[in-house]
Amino acid sequence: MFNLTSEQMERLKAIHTTQEVHQQPTVWKEVVGVFSKQKESYRQFLEAIYGKHEQVRVIFTGAGTSAFAGDTLAPILRKLGPEQVVFDSIATTDIVSNPEEYLDKKTPTILVSFARSGNSPESVAAVSLGENMIEHFYQVIVTCNKDGQLAKNVKGDANSLLILTPSRPTIKALR
């Protein structure tokens, strides 16, 4: 795909995907830098929650391709994470379409939302359902859009953590 001209990629409707793939190595290096600088505050946030509850459920969620992040993390963390924590990956579309099946009122839950724009209706709705249905609800928003609805909703919320990842403008040309 990187051997194609911008015009060829436009014609194939592949320009946005190609741009995203092309920038990933740089973006992920920056993400590691962001996490390294903030890891102590992230650790304190999680340990405070773990200290309040005997069992905690972490649900990784997202809309579309953002759901794949949780699909990748959950199996690894099930093996490596603390015993008191249950890790699941559930797409926002599943949560929104059948919340009673996926959200348990009595189980303290951290909803980790992966959301590039932070504006997808199903991501916003999944968070709203969690807030309304779960007694002890916490959230972590991972987004590159500080102005997205999910980021705006957690400002000043002590039960929430916002992780801003690097934002990239659209690449005009790859060559």
Side-chain angles (χ1 to χ4, degrees):
M1 87 172 73
F2 296 120
N3 294 328
L4 301 175
T5 66
S6 294
E7 293 79 24
Q8 289 170 316
M9 286 187 286
E10 285 283 350
R11 213 172 27 256
L12 293 169
K13 297 183 179 171
I15 192 83
H16 297 295
T17 301
T18 303
Q19 290 170 350
E20 285 294 319
V21 170
H22 186 264
Q23 72 188 12
Q24 287 302 305
T26 302
V27 170
W28 280 107
K29 286 178 187 173
E30 290 180 34
V31 167
V32 169
V34 168
F35 273 73
S36 295
K37 289 178 187 172
Q38 298 295 325
K39 77 176 176 184
E40 185 58 27
S41 64
Y42 299 162
R43 186 186 63 73
Q44 289 174 2
F45 176 80
L46 293 172
E47 285 185 0
I49 296 168
Y50 297 161
K52 292 178 191 175
H53 308 286
E54 287 183 33
Q55 182 95 38
V56 176
R57 183 179 188 203
V58 174
I59 299 174
F60 296 110
T61 194
T65 56
S66 294
F68 292 129
D71 292 345
T72 302
L73 290 170
I76 294 166
L77 291 174
R78 282 184 198 121
K79 292 178 188 173
L80 303 175
E83 287 184 26
Q84 79 183 92
V85 183
V86 175
F87 295 95
D88 290 313
S89 180
I90 307 167
T92 54
T93 50
D94 292 339
I95 293 171
V96 171
S97 66
N98 197 1
E100 294 82 12
E101 183 69 27
Y102 298 106
L103 304 177
D104 179 47
K105 178 181 179 145
K106 297 291 184 189
T107 303
T109 301
I110 304 170
L111 188 70
V112 180
S113 298
F114 295 101
R116 183 162 168 71
S117 75
N119 287 319
S120 74
E122 59 269 30
S123 291
V124 173
V127 167
S128 179
L129 287 164
E131 290 173 328
N132 291 318
M133 293 178 66
I134 300 171
E135 283 182 16
H136 299 284
F137 181 76
Y138 309 91
Q139 61 179 316
V140 176
I141 306 297
V142 182
T143 184
C144 63
N145 186 2
K146 65 180 177 38
D147 298 317
Q149 194 60 52
L150 290 177
K152 288 178 182 178
N153 288 351
V154 299
K155 286 186 179 161
D157 182 356
N159 287 335
S160 299
L161 177 66
L162 175 62
I163 300 174
L164 288 173
T165 59
S167 180
R168 286 283 180 275
T170 302
I171 301 168
K172 296 294 181 202
L174 295 173
R175 294 184 199 187

